[in-house]
Amino acid sequence: MNEAETRAEHIDPALKAAGWGVGQAKDYAGKLAVRFTYSANGRGVYGIDMETGAEGEVPQFPGPEELWNRTFAKAAHPFPCRPQ
């Protein structure tokens, strides 16, 4: 078994079962009372809007200014880089 197979068959399922990833991001966001949270696996970034429930893959993490505008703009779109 090579490294990729070991990860796919043993490590990733164990992390998922332990609550790592999107579930962990949502748990932390709820505890910290933040609107936006993100999860990354080294291959992609997944964004979650805790207020609207919108979620999906995003091309990259937002920068500070973009995140500020999403959080405090009156008509903020959760993921402006993706059509809704």
Side-chain angles (χ1 to χ4, degrees):
M1 180 176 290
N2 67 29
E3 184 178 345
E5 291 168 335
T6 300
R7 179 178 174 116
E9 293 179 24
H10 300 287
I11 297 171
D12 288 344
L15 290 174
K16 185 174 183 179
W20 285 71
V22 173
Q24 186 181 33
K26 288 180 177 181
D27 286 344
Y28 284 145
K31 289 175 183 177
L32 297 171
V34 296
R35 179 173 175 182
F36 297 104
T37 188
Y38 298 87
S39 178
N41 63 6
R43 289 178 258 162
V45 179
Y46 195 82
I48 302 116
D49 181 335
M50 298 293 288
E51 186 176 299
T52 68
E55 57 184 82
E57 291 185 22
V58 295
Q60 62 193 21
F61 288 105
E65 185 174 341
E66 182 181 356
L67 188 56
W68 179 270
N69 290 336
R70 284 187 197 172
T71 302
F72 298 106
K74 290 188 187 250
H77 294 285
F79 304 110
C81 50
R82 291 188 50 173
Q84 293 294 318

